[in-house]
Amino acid sequence: MGFLVPDFPDVEPTRWQAASRAEKMRVMAVHWAEHGFGTPWGVFPLYLIKCAVYLAAAATVIGLTPGFDGVGHLADWWAQPLAYQKFIVWTLLWEIIGLGCGSGPLTLRFLPPIGGILYFLRPGTIRLAPWPGKVPFTRGDRRTVADVALYAVVLGSGGWALSSSGTDAGLLDVRTVIPMLVALGLLGLRDKTVFLAARGEHYALAVVMFFFPATDQIIGWKLIMLALWWGAATSKLNHHFPFVVSVMMSNSPVMRLKWLKRKMYRDFPHDLRASRLPFTLAHLGTVIEYLIPAYLVFAGHGGTLTWIAIIAMIVFHLHIVSTVPMGVPLEWNVFFIVSIPLLFGQHAAVSVFDLDSPLPAVILLLSLVVVPMIGNLEPQWISFLPSMRYYAGNWPTSTWLFRGGAQDKIEQHVTKSSAVVTTQLARLYGPHGMDLMLTKGMTWRAMHPHGRALNTLVERAVDDLADYTVLDGEAVAGVTVGWNFGDGHLHNEQLVAALQRRCGFAPGELRVVVLESQPIHRQRQHYRIVDAATGLIEQGYVQVADMIARQPWPDAADPVPVQPIGTEVAR
């Protein structure tokens, strides 16, 4: 692996081009097991520098608050509620601008390395309303001047809050964040992408706590963190997560022992299903995420045991950061690392049982219990982010198939701030390098159980897969809507329809396989195959047990069984 050159299998271009898709994916799967994505080493320092800038800039800006006397007195003010309020606002702005989750080459962003503000401040780009047929004034899919103005209000209000002084009570004046919350709420109704990019299920909810007394705010922030931990832990109680562990550990830049990476799989290189080791690690991580936060929230009132628990959870999040997971939620984990000693160490004496007002309890109950419950029972209704299925491997996804030069229509007819991923990769690494990168990306998807179902479903979507360029839906969403973070709801039929209105794909030019998340109470996932021009081709179900029994490369002799429902129309 070079500093700027990806680490790929040493394959001769003509032999690679002659290989079948199954052969290519098998080569890449074996390579992933030992090398991960093969990210150039120069990329990892960039992400670390970005995290350092996130923290240093936050400390500098917050330190300008009157009475804080600058970053040189950080130790004197870092644990004050006003400082933490501003840290929340800073992080929300960092994310909604596009500098946090979903940025850089590990999310298929190369030139430029971010989306976010480059799209959200640009009229004419695509927006995806969550309920366009039900909420007034949200129809359509084109970003207007009004949408841009609302986004600017979020940024302006956030800047106002960061630059303001505290009240006599040592808290932020809530009038500074009212425009932010109102504008973000209206934006979320007109474009779910912007709300999700802001990580509204976490940071916007934390801002809502500003409207209550200081003690209730601290309690609210503690309960939000507890819900995020417990929600993530609950979502991992499935058959998907051990595969996530094996894939993440193979991709970790700090785990250099190839023999240990091979132990993540049953029989490397022949059987790349997750071995007992990632199953054990998965269960251990889930237990940690349940028990230690429970102690911190309900019984950790200071002292040695509390600080041991704090250090344990800091190490837990440092481990996640060290694996540099795809989607790179690094700043989100850094936010946790800062918050844990502040909330549960410096404010350990604040008990969650001392909540004075019932209103924050109602708000938190709806946001942290009711919404995730609905999202896990009916995953097609709610994004996996407010549903709190973060690292679980049980994400909605899609695979896009472009025939011939159909992608060129996106370049010609869609307002956006970056070229399609194939063009970006070809500029950086040439046609052969582009093909290797795309195959590695699709292999990453296939290393997870749902990707093994997609291997079968793409074959059902078209007559001859060799005529098509196969792209993960994340690559399409990142370019066309400006943000992607593993949420297939940003690249399902809604995006297909938006692109069809602009590009006018002919029948067969664009086919998309959409695979929904697994409901928590059922062991199957719903799929749909659609044509951009003619609509639904086929839908049905795939069983999770059948996915985890397959290898990450296609096998014509042993495909994942599918259960079509309804009537299949002409292809």
Side-chain angles (χ1 to χ4, degrees):
M1 187 190 308
F3 188 74
L4 295 176
V5 179
D7 183 2
F8 287 132
D10 186 13
V11 290
E12 200 273 328
T14 55
R15 289 186 58 191
W16 179 258
Q17 291 302 320
S20 67
R21 182 168 179 267
E23 292 169 334
K24 290 179 179 179
M25 292 188 70
R26 182 161 191 164
V27 169
M28 286 300 187
V30 172
H31 192 265
W32 182 284
E34 291 189 311
H35 303 275
F37 195 73
T39 305
W41 267 104
V43 169
F44 296 120
L46 291 178
Y47 278 107
L48 292 177
I49 291 171
K50 185 163 70 75
C51 288
V53 170
Y54 158 70
L55 283 177
T60 301
V61 171
I62 297 170
L64 296 175
T65 303
F68 283 4
D69 298 325
V71 70
H73 292 82
L74 176 65
D76 298 328
W77 54 257
W78 79 280
Q80 294 187 28
L82 175 60
Y84 190 66
Q85 287 177 317
K86 290 196 173 188
F87 187 45
I88 293 168
V89 172
W90 170 265
T91 306
L92 187 152
L93 293 181
W94 184 271
E95 293 289 351
I96 202 171
I97 288 171
L99 295 170
C101 302
S103 63
L106 289 180
T107 57
L108 299 177
R109 294 193 179 282
F110 303 95
L111 303 168
I114 69 167
I117 193 170
L118 302 180
Y119 287 74
F120 304 152
L121 272 183
R122 184 174 181 179
T125 51
I126 293 176
R127 64 176 180 86
L128 302 174
W131 306 288
K134 299 178 180 179
V135 178
F137 308 112
T138 64
R139 291 185 182 275
D141 53 39
R142 189 175 301 275
R143 196 175 313 280
T144 67
V145 173
D147 297 304
V148 171
L150 286 171
Y151 181 74
V153 168
V154 174
L155 300 182
S157 177
W160 181 21
L162 289 174
S163 62
S164 66
S165 58
T167 64
D168 293 339
L171 298 171
L172 202 61
D173 186 339
V174 294
R175 291 175 296 181
T176 63
V177 297
I178 289 175
M180 170 193 288
L181 289 176
V182 172
L184 185 59
L186 293 174
L187 268 176
L189 293 174
R190 288 185 55 81
D191 186 7
K192 58 189 175 185
T193 310
V194 180
F195 183 83
L196 294 174
R199 300 304 306 274
E201 87 285 354
H202 182 180
Y203 303 124
L205 182 60
V207 171
V208 170
M209 295 297 105
F210 294 4
F211 291 84
F212 302 102
T215 298
D216 284 359
Q217 288 187 43
I218 294 170
I219 293 171
W221 296 331
K222 287 184 177 185
L223 291 174
I224 289 171
M225 292 191 66
L226 177 68
L228 294 171
W229 277 319
W230 278 8
T234 301
S235 72
K236 295 170 184 175
L237 300 175
N238 60 37
H239 296 292
H240 304 264
F241 186 55
F243 291 80
V244 176
V245 172
S246 62
V247 173
M248 287 177 63
M249 296 304 291
S250 287
N251 193 50
S252 173
V254 300
M255 193 170 90
R256 308 299 297 162
L257 301 175
K258 288 186 179 180
W259 66 266
L260 184 55
K261 291 185 177 183
R262 294 174 189 143
K263 291 292 185 182
M264 297 289 162
Y265 305 93
R266 293 192 182 185
D267 183 19
F268 175 89
H270 309 291
D271 185 349
L272 296 188
R273 291 175 292 172
S275 68
R276 294 308 308 172
L277 178 57
F279 271 82
T280 301
L281 293 174
H283 293 318
L284 176 62
T286 302
V287 169
I288 289 173
E289 214 163 10
Y290 272 128
L291 296 185
I292 297 181
Y295 171 78
L296 286 173
V297 172
F298 298 114
H301 303 307
T304 302
L305 285 179
T306 295
W307 281 99
I308 290 174
I310 287 170
I311 292 170
M313 290 311 297
I314 290 175
V315 171
F316 179 85
H317 285 280
L318 283 173
H319 168 70
I320 296 174
V321 171
S322 75
T323 65
V324 194
M326 306 298 281
V328 285
L330 303 184
E331 288 88 348
W332 189 45
N333 281 278
V334 171
F335 181 88
F336 270 79
I337 291 169
V338 173
S339 301
I340 292 167
L342 189 152
L343 294 177
F344 301 105
Q346 297 296 318
H347 296 286
V350 178
S351 171
V352 295
F353 300 107
D354 295 333
L355 189 67
D356 288 332
S357 172
L359 183 55
V362 173
I363 294 172
L364 294 174
L365 180 66
L366 291 174
S367 302
L368 303 177
V369 178
V370 176
V371 170
M373 284 181 60
I374 296 173
N376 281 283
L377 292 170
E378 300 291 345
Q380 72 277 12
W381 291 355
I382 299 177
S383 163
F384 85 101
L385 291 173
S387 300
M388 299 184 186
R389 288 194 306 278
Y390 296 115
Y391 298 99
N394 181 25
W395 314 299
T397 186
S398 71
T399 300
W400 291 54
L401 302 100
F402 294 90
R403 188 175 64 194
Q407 270 195 99
D408 295 340
K409 294 185 177 182
I410 293 180
E411 293 282 39
Q412 297 165 5
H413 302 295
V414 177
T415 301
K416 51 191 177 53
S417 296
S418 63
V420 296
V421 167
T422 50
T423 299
Q424 294 185 54
L425 290 174
R427 289 172 182 170
L428 289 170
Y429 303 115
H432 179 56
M434 174 199 71
D435 193 18
L436 291 172
M437 289 279 281
L438 292 179
T439 305
K440 195 65 173 288
M442 295 307 300
T443 302
W444 167 83
R445 179 67 70 186
M447 296 291 282
H448 301 85
H450 59 260
R452 303 173 191 208
L454 292 170
N455 281 343
T456 294
L457 294 172
V458 294
E459 298 282 355
R460 299 176 66 85
V462 296
D463 293 327
D464 188 352
L465 200 56
D467 294 337
Y468 288 79
T469 298
V470 181
L471 292 178
D472 193 284
E474 292 291 297
V476 181
V479 168
T480 55
V481 303
W483 189 77
N484 59 293
F485 188 55
D487 190 346
H489 292 176
L490 298 181
H491 42 87
N492 58 14
E493 292 93 334
Q494 189 178 14
L495 180 58
V496 174
L499 292 177
Q500 180 63 14
R501 280 188 280 273
R502 290 160 173 78
C503 301
F505 295 106
E509 272 195 318
L510 172 58
R511 296 279 172 86
V512 180
V513 177
V514 178
L515 185 63
E516 190 49 78
S517 300
Q518 173 199 338
I520 195 170
H521 59 304
R522 294 192 178 98
Q523 294 298 311
R524 67 183 188 183
Q525 293 180 240
H526 182 229
Y527 76 87
R528 301 178 299 279
I529 301 174
V530 298
D531 184 287
T534 62
L536 181 67
I537 292 175
E538 177 184 311
Q539 63 176 323
Y541 295 97
V542 285
Q543 299 293 326
V544 174
D546 293 326
M547 302 180 213
I548 64 176
R550 266 67 184 180
Q551 298 301 321
W553 50 83
D555 186 351
D558 188 28
V560 173
V562 300
Q563 301 167 334
I565 57 176
T567 303
E568 183 177 347
V569 301
R571 294 178 185 275

